[in-house]
Amino acid sequence: MATAKHRAVDTFRRAQNLRRKTEELGRGLVQEEGAEEDWAAALDEVVEDDVLRLVFIACHPVLSREARVALTLRLVGGLTTEEIARAFLVPETTLAQRIVRAKRTLTAARVPFEMPTGPDFADRLSSVLEVLYLVFNEGYAATAGEDLVRPALCAEAMRLGRILAGLVPEESEVHGLVALLELQASRLAARTGPDGASVLLADQDRSRWDRVLVTRGLAALDRAHGTARGGLGPYALQAEIAACHARAHSVEETDWAAIAGSYEALAALTPSPVVELNRAVAVSRAYGPAAGLELVDALLDVPAMSGYHLLPAVRGDLLVSLGRAEEARGEFQRAAGLTRNERERALLLGRAADCGARAVPPGA
């Protein structure tokens, strides 16, 4: 009810502003040149989609970046505290406290329930992009539950991204994010088998990849290049990586050296152990599993990665490639114990069993 009340007040305020600005425009046409362009710019700043408006409102600069993104994911994105904590690689209790403090901060600051405009709009844009990115990621690889993917979350993140790209067509990173989401979403149908089981990238039927989404993603990536001021940003770099996969007809034909280079550039912009883990996979494909394993082993003592199931899963992959099946089995079992998604757990336990069969000598 409070939200509805504030929404109504905001609507009335906008209507009053519209009438006032229309009157000012009429007077200004006689008094001042350029008034028409100013009014058009003001209109361009209005975001009509209610969900996107709420995301911008919740991403208030009075909060830290982590707090505003976490709060928005919880209140607007509908993600659980556990899902958000996994995205940030922090304990669930830490994330819950962060959200509580964010609510208190907004209350104490008496933050108005209204859409930001002008410089305030630009200041919140990076946080809004991060929210859409994390909502999509939860849809692409669900943290917990029976389903590997949650297509509705992916679709909503893509919808909001497309609206945002229309509102700020000169922002390269907005186009980069849209490109990344479109290209990643093109693989959704191939990520699961008929029974809902997880299908690894190397085993996916690429004829099931959505070529319409691939085409749209590549076009958005071209727009990101065309509007970039200097080098590409983090989302556009990730879109470049996704484009390498989309253009390849098989895992073997993928330009893994280019992907490894893009991950290196991404790590320079946004250092992260998850980026390093992904870079290790690309390096292993381009230069051999031993090179990749060296990068993975450097992450074993990173506290944030201690509960991240993909670290032992990747390490298990590389150990299999090196013929160390028994060690790989232990890694897959550890990964299965860390994930809370039933489909991923089944896949990892199956891989552990395969390693166990390989480790047993013939005739034993």
Side-chain angles (χ1 to χ4, degrees), residues 9 11 35 65 90 118 127 129 143 147 201 222 236 255 283 316 320:
V9 170
T11 300
R65 181 193 66 83
V90 298
S127 293
L129 293 180
T143 300
D147 299 320
L201 178 64
D222 286 341
D255 190 347
V283 167
V320 168

Side-chain angles (χ1 to χ4, degrees), residues 25 41 62 90-91 96 114 122 125 134 155 175 193 209 217 221 235 289 298 324-325 344 350-352 360-361:
L25 176 61
V62 73
V90 298
E114 59 187 17
L125 184 58
L134 292 175
H175 295 302
W209 290 9
L221 183 56
Y235 297 119
R324 296 156 61 178
E344 280 192 318
R351 301 203 68 193
V360 176

Side-chain angles (χ1 to χ4, degrees), residues 16-360:
Q16 291 172 349
N17 287 339
L18 178 61
R19 286 192 296 271
R20 178 176 57 80
K21 285 181 178 288
T22 302
E23 293 170 359
E24 292 174 354
L25 176 61
R27 293 192 298 270
L29 285 175
V30 178
Q31 300 172 356
E32 181 181 355
E33 293 183 2
E36 184 174 352
E37 288 78 8
D38 292 341
W39 174 232
L43 281 177
D44 287 341
E45 292 177 346
V46 176
V47 178
E48 294 296 343
D49 184 85
D50 288 340
V51 177
L52 191 57
R53 287 170 59 82
L54 284 172
V55 174
F56 268 100
I57 291 168
C59 287
H60 197 281
V62 73
L63 303 174
S64 67
R65 181 193 66 83
E66 293 84 359
R68 71 179 75 162
V69 172
L71 180 65
T72 309
L73 288 171
R74 184 72 186 92
L75 299 182
V76 183
L79 273 61
T80 66
T81 304
E82 176 191 353
E83 291 165 350
I84 303 169
R86 298 282 285 189
F88 280 100
L89 298 180
V90 298
E92 188 173 345
T93 54
T94 300
L95 196 284
Q97 292 170 359
R98 186 178 295 172
I99 291 175
V100 170
R101 286 195 298 268
K103 292 179 181 178
R104 289 174 179 168
T105 300
L106 289 177
T107 301
R110 298 183 178 274
V111 170
F113 192 84
E114 59 187 17
M115 183 66 196
T117 58
D120 291 337
F121 181 97
D123 288 344
R124 303 187 196 188
L125 184 58
S126 62
S127 293
V128 171
L129 293 180
E130 188 172 2
V131 167
L132 301 187
Y133 174 73
L134 292 175
V135 168
F136 181 90
N137 281 354
E138 179 58 29
Y140 189 76
T143 300
E146 296 289 337
D147 299 320
L148 180 69
V149 298
R150 298 168 64 181
L153 286 179
C154 294
E156 180 66 356
M158 292 163 64
R159 183 184 73 83
L160 296 176
R162 292 165 186 158
I163 293 173
L164 195 54
L167 289 169
V168 284
E170 297 305 314
E171 290 291 337
S172 174
E173 271 293 78
V174 177
H175 295 302
L177 178 64
V178 171
L180 174 61
L181 303 191
E182 303 273 11
L183 292 168
Q184 292 288 84
S186 71
R187 306 203 296 256
L188 278 174
R191 295 196 70 234
T192 56
D195 59 350
S198 176
V199 180
L200 296 173
L201 178 64
D203 301 324
Q204 288 178 14
D205 178 1
R206 299 194 176 209
S207 68
R208 298 186 66 198
W209 290 9
D210 190 325
R211 304 315 300 182
V212 173
L213 287 178
V214 169
T215 300
R216 292 172 68 164
L218 294 177
L221 183 56
D222 286 341
R223 288 191 290 273
H225 277 281
T227 54
R229 294 179 287 273
L232 294 178
Y235 297 119
L237 281 173
Q238 292 179 73
E240 285 281 2
I241 294 167
C244 283
H245 290 297
R247 294 186 183 108
H249 297 293
S250 67
V251 171
E252 292 73 24
E253 294 180 31
T254 304
D255 190 347
W256 289 104
I259 291 176
S262 293
Y263 272 123
E264 187 172 356
L266 181 61
L269 284 178
T270 56
S272 159
V274 174
V275 172
E276 283 299 307
L277 182 62
N278 286 323
R279 185 168 77 90
V281 174
V283 167
S284 72
R285 290 284 188 175
Y287 308 110
L293 185 61
E294 184 178 351
L295 295 175
V296 170
D297 286 348
L299 300 173
L300 295 177
D301 295 327
V302 177
M305 300 294 278
S306 61
Y308 191 52
H309 72 283
L310 290 181
L311 178 60
V314 169
R315 194 167 190 273
D317 269 332
L318 298 178
L319 290 170
V320 168
S321 299
L322 292 169
R324 296 156 61 178
E326 185 59 33
E327 293 176 71
R329 178 172 65 168
E331 293 295 324
F332 287 131
Q333 288 173 337
R334 189 160 75 88
L338 290 173
T339 184
R340 298 190 182 184
N341 185 280
E342 296 301 324
R343 298 295 184 181
E344 280 192 318
R345 181 179 290 114
L347 174 67
L348 291 165
L349 290 176
R351 301 203 68 193
D354 290 342
C355 289
R358 293 186 190 185
V360 176

